[in-house]
């Protein structure tokens, strides 16, 4: 008698456990659940991309500062947009060496050749 009661109880417990597991898996596979999981994954990927972009921007700023220090470029506080500029002597040499104001004495009009 006790053997039958034991096996009956063990079978009933196994049935309840199996039914519970199957129902949980079925709920995970409903369209609403799949859509919610996909949305969560998309949000997580978006946050990771945002963090990556912020890391890249921070690295770019750090590298730009290193290059500016290496080249001797400084911030000019007199400019409203705070654009980096060459220091005084270099800037003047760069302006003196500018050849764009030189104009040739002859014309490049191609129609004159024919």
């Amino acid at each position: 008698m006790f053997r039958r009661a034991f096996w009956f109880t063990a079978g009933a417990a196994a049935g309840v456990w199996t039914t519970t597991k199957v129902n949980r898996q079925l709920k995970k596979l409903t369209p609403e659940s799949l859509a919610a999981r996909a949305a969560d994954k998309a949000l997580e990927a978006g946050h990771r991309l945002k963090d990556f972009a912020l890391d890249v921007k921070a690295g770019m700023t750090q590298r730009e500062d290193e290059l500016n220090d290496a080249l001797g470029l400084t911030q000019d506080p007199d400019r409203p947009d705070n654009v980096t500029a060459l220091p005084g002597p270099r800037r003047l040499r760069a302006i003196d060496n500018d050849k764009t104001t030189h104009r040739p004495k002859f014309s490049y009009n191609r129609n004159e050749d024919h």
Side-chain angles (χ1 to χ4, degrees):
M1 174 88 170
F2 288 110
R3 288 173 103 183
R4 287 184 182 173
F6 170 76
W7 287 113
F8 177 78
T9 307
V16 168
W17 181 79
T18 304
T19 305
T20 304
K21 287 287 189 180
V22 168
N23 283 337
R24 284 183 187 165
Q25 289 299 323
L26 287 176
K27 285 181 183 177
K28 286 183 182 179
L29 296 176
T30 60
E32 294 85 12
S33 175
L34 292 175
R37 283 181 26 203
D40 289 342
K41 294 289 182 181
L43 285 174
E44 183 180 332
H47 289 303
R48 286 184 182 175
L49 281 174
K50 179 182 174 186
D51 292 341
F52 175 72
L54 291 174
D55 288 344
V56 168
K57 186 175 181 181
M60 285 173 40
T61 303
Q62 179 183 359
R63 182 63 179 150
E64 185 178 350
D65 291 341
E66 291 171 2
L67 291 173
N68 284 339
D69 289 342
L71 294 173
L73 299 176
T74 58
Q75 294 279 342
D76 189 2
D78 295 334
R79 292 187 179 195
D81 54 354
N82 217 6
V83 176
T84 57
L86 289 173
R90 276 188 173 177
R91 186 166 161 236
L92 291 176
R93 274 185 281 160
I95 292 173
D96 289 340
N97 292 333
D98 188 16
K99 303 287 187 202
T100 58
T101 56
H102 174 69
R103 295 192 178 184
K105 296 182 177 162
F106 52 89
S107 172
Y108 286 108
N109 189 350
R110 298 189 72 176
N111 292 329
E112 292 177 357
D113 292 340
H114 300 290

